[in-house]
Amino acid sequence: MKLASALSERADIQRRLSELSERLANNAKVQEGDTPAEDPQELLAEMDGLIDRLETLIYRINMTNSKVETDGVSMTMMIARRDGLKKRIAMLRGFLDCASSKVERYSRAEIAVHSTVDVKELQKQVDGFSRELRELDEKIQELNWTTELL
């Protein structure tokens, strides 16, 4: 099984568990004399099976990510860098939105408001981080489709 297939299965199991949680809640109680729409014991058994499979997949995915390397960098490190880049880009874009927004003055008597940073230079940095993120994500995706799950 390729790593990408395991990641897809993991996402599917997580989605199914979320739906199963709602189904369990909907069948947790009934009025006296009624029966639940679905058997809670069957739902709980399904939950146990899905969680067992999820645990196995997560373990195998993490082991694979820690062992796979390209250019001397592990997949785990690439994923951590990707997550860090996403957070950095999001925060910098929010900051740039604030720093670059114009403050209208209606008369010369009003206080002038200026940006505290060089918006153009910071935008170049964000563009560089975005390019790095795209390239890193492509490398991770390529490894996902070419790497066998351990």
Side-chain angles (χ1 to χ4, degrees), residues 53-117:
R53 178 66 181 151
L54 181 64
E55 288 174 358
T56 300
L57 278 174
I58 290 171
Y59 170 76
R60 292 179 67 194
I61 289 166
N62 289 344
M63 289 302 294
T64 303
N65 286 344
S66 68
K67 302 264 191 251
V68 172
E69 287 190 7
T70 185
D71 301 325
V73 180
S74 73
M75 178 82 99
T76 302
M77 187 59 210
M78 286 186 272
I79 292 168
R81 176 69 178 160
R82 180 185 65 186
D83 292 348
L85 282 168
K86 284 179 181 179
K87 179 58 89 176
R88 182 184 312 266
I89 290 166
M91 290 184 74
L92 286 173
R93 283 187 178 149
F95 177 66
L96 280 169
D97 285 347
C98 291
S100 62
S101 65
K102 298 283 184 196
V103 177
E104 297 295 325
R105 288 188 346 170
Y106 297 102
S107 72
R108 292 193 159 271
E110 290 186 55
I111 298 172
V113 177
H114 300 283
S115 179
T116 59
V117 295

Side-chain angles (χ1 to χ4, degrees), residues 10-60:
R10 180 186 68 182
D12 182 56
I13 290 172
Q14 289 170 330
R15 180 193 50 76
R16 288 172 54 198
L17 283 169
S18 178
E19 292 169 359
L20 192 56
S21 180
E22 288 181 36
R23 290 168 55 201
L24 277 164
N26 291 338
N27 291 283
K29 293 181 183 179
V30 293
Q31 289 183 352
E32 186 176 342
D34 284 348
T35 57
E38 295 183 84
D39 182 359
Q41 294 305 318
E42 289 178 14
L43 295 175
L44 289 169
E46 184 179 350
M47 178 197 71
D48 286 339
L50 286 172
I51 289 175
D52 289 346
R53 178 66 181 151
L54 181 64
E55 288 174 358
T56 300
L57 278 174
I58 290 171
Y59 170 76
R60 292 179 67 194

Side-chain angles (χ1 to χ4, degrees), residues 96 118-129 131:
L96 280 169
D118 182 344
V119 172
K120 185 177 179 181
E121 181 58 34
L122 195 53
Q123 184 60 56
K124 284 182 185 178
Q125 289 178 17
V126 171
D127 292 344
F129 290 136
R131 184 176 46 263

